[in-house]
Amino acid sequence: QVQLVESGGGLVQAGDSLRLSCAASGRFFSSYSMGWFRQAPGKERDFVAVISWSGDMTYYADSVKGRFFISRDNAKNTVSLQMNSLKPEDTAVYYCAADPSYRNFPRGGMDYWGKGTLVTVSS
């Protein structure tokens, strides 16, 4: 069992940076791939980024590539999402997710989800 709690959301202006964190509890954290999804108002939840259990592989949605960076600290059971050059279209609730399979992430349907943290980017 893995429990996930996101933090770090807020209201920022276009061009600003924000760092989201996800704290995980559970003995199997270090064996899970971790990732982030987001859901904008009125839209479906979309994949953002994933990092493998060891941290040696990452993959990003085209919409955030080069602006967002995912990292993890297995000693602290945390995964982070550094978001730079934010745009109004990045406004969404951001969800942390965990799953044993790295390759499953872009398709969604993860084993574990957090409750989300809201990011609002004003123009």
Side-chain angles (χ1 to χ4, degrees), residues 8-18 83 86-87 91 119-123:
L11 173 64
V12 296
Q13 293 186 334
D16 286 351
S17 296
L18 200 61
M83 305 186 294
L86 282 161
K87 305 175 182 179
T91 295
V119 173
T120 304
V121 185
S122 64
S123 57

Side-chain angles (χ1 to χ4, degrees), residues 35-123:
W36 292 90
F37 289 75
R38 66 185 182 184
Q39 187 168 19
K43 296 187 177 181
E44 294 185 351
R45 187 157 53 186
D46 291 329
F47 166 76
V48 175
V50 59
I51 187 166
S52 61
W53 68 270
S54 62
D56 63 341
M57 294 190 297
T58 58
Y59 181 72
Y60 298 90
D62 287 343
S63 58
V64 305
K65 200 171 294 183
R67 298 189 298 123
F68 290 14
F69 300 93
I70 189 170
S71 61
R72 69 187 294 162
D73 185 337
N74 287 344
K76 297 182 179 179
N77 280 14
T78 59
V79 60
S80 298
L81 186 68
Q82 177 66 40
M83 305 186 294
N84 301 324
S85 302
L86 282 161
K87 305 175 182 179
E89 51 264 43
D90 294 319
T91 295
V93 176
Y94 283 72
Y95 297 91
C96 179
D99 195 88
S101 174
Y102 174 84
R103 296 185 185 279
N104 280 347
F105 263 85
R107 295 194 293 265
M110 303 296 99
D111 278 1
Y112 300 103
W113 295 91
K115 294 184 177 181
T117 185
L118 177 63
V119 173
T120 304
V121 185
S122 64
S123 57

